[in-house]
Amino acid sequence: MKMRISPSMMCADIGKIREVIKALENEDAEYLHIDIMDGLFVPNFTLGTDYCRQIRKMTDIPLDIHLMVEKPEDKLHWFEFGRGDIVSVHAESTAHLHKAVSYIKEQGADAFVALNPATRFGAVEYVLDEIEGVTVMAVNPGFAGQKMIPSTLTKIRKLRAYLDEKGFENIEIEVDGNVSFENAAKMKKAGASIFVAGSSSVFGNDISVEDGMKKLRAALE
């Protein structure tokens, strides 16, 4: 599978958002990762529906919308998404995972199921026929700047083997949380193919967005 980068827009300087997006376009970012947090499912509030609409007007880069909200099946219709986009909902956030996944598919987007660090990947067993990917959280969701939970690498490796054994080789693994240059290479080796890049790489304090993208690409070669 092709290695793809999804820069986390919650880590971007909001005062320079147009410049950031232009830099990401120049570096051929495959997605823009948009974290939506409701203060209930996770202990933080972040980006919202209007932010997604404004970003959509600025660029043709597909969106990678990560819904960290309770009962996402009741809120998906607030968002505009479609072909080429990714929409992730958490297995832990809903009693109606099929309903949420089905709505995403009906809009033409790729449906991903996100799993918190302690959630067993068996939680996706009965939606494997309907999803394009699994988002593995390498940190407990809510805040940027956390350290990777070490067992994440084992989880990615076992999940990749599980998917392959079940005949779902085309289901991708996205990894989100502390995707540093060093960790990204390890995550790739374990079986991840989409990397959510935030403050530990692309949006680091001591590196430009362009150089961060180049360095992360090199780490994934």
Side-chain angles (χ1 to χ4, degrees):
M1 293 181 179
K2 178 184 177 183
M3 301 298 108
R4 283 168 284 169
I5 299 173
S6 186
S8 179
M9 300 307 289
M10 71 177 284
C11 299
D13 185 341
I14 193 68
K16 300 178 180 178
I17 198 67
R18 290 186 182 276
E19 293 95 325
V20 168
I21 289 175
K22 183 62 177 177
L24 294 173
E25 288 176 336
N26 291 340
E27 295 300 325
D28 298 318
E30 285 82 6
Y31 301 100
L32 298 180
H33 190 83
I34 314 292
D35 286 308
I36 311 293
M37 304 184 195
D38 64 358
L40 296 172
F41 181 68
V42 291
N44 197 3
F45 289 100
T46 54
L47 312 174
T49 55
D50 289 338
Y51 183 89
C52 292
R53 291 190 188 98
Q54 292 301 315
I55 293 294
R56 180 77 75 189
K57 293 176 182 178
M58 296 181 195
T59 183
D60 291 328
I61 300 175
L63 301 186
D64 176 13
I65 299 173
H66 182 187
L67 292 175
M68 288 170 274
V69 303
E70 291 190 354
K71 297 182 179 179
E73 67 276 8
D74 295 336
K75 299 159 186 173
L76 282 163
H77 68 278
W78 297 350
F79 296 86
E80 297 173 5
F81 54 83
R83 191 164 303 281
D85 296 328
I86 290 174
V87 181
S88 296
V89 294
H90 273 262
E92 310 89 354
S93 69
T94 176
H96 304 287
L97 187 56
H98 279 97
K99 183 177 180 180
V101 166
S102 294
Y103 183 85
I104 295 167
K105 300 284 287 181
E106 288 168 4
Q107 306 310 305
D110 290 341
F112 279 46
V113 175
L115 302 176
N116 283 339
T119 301
R120 295 180 179 275
F121 52 73
V124 304
E125 180 177 2
Y126 295 106
V127 293
L128 290 177
D129 287 322
E130 304 174 48
I131 63 175
E132 282 72 42
V134 179
T135 300
V136 174
M137 297 303 301
V139 300
N140 287 300
F143 296 91
Q146 301 182 64
K147 296 297 183 183
M148 180 184 71
I149 295 172
S151 59
T152 297
L153 296 176
T154 300
K155 186 174 184 177
I156 295 170
R157 190 176 303 111
K158 288 184 176 181
L159 173 58
R160 184 71 268 161
Y162 169 80
L163 293 171
D164 292 347
E165 289 167 6
K166 291 280 187 178
F168 293 98
E169 296 90 348
N170 291 331
I171 289 182
E172 303 214 47
I173 297 176
E174 179 176 37
V175 63
D176 185 354
N178 196 208
V179 181
S180 65
F181 304 115
E182 180 181 0
N183 287 341
K186 297 176 182 177
M187 292 164 173
K188 174 192 173 183
K189 185 176 181 180
S193 56
I194 302 175
F195 304 83
V196 179
S199 58
S200 58
S201 55
V202 170
F203 295 114
N205 292 328
D206 57 351
I207 196 168
S208 69
V209 171
E210 293 91 339
D211 288 344
M213 286 289 291
K214 287 182 173 69
K215 187 173 180 179
L216 186 55
R217 292 251 187 241
L220 294 172
E221 289 180 355

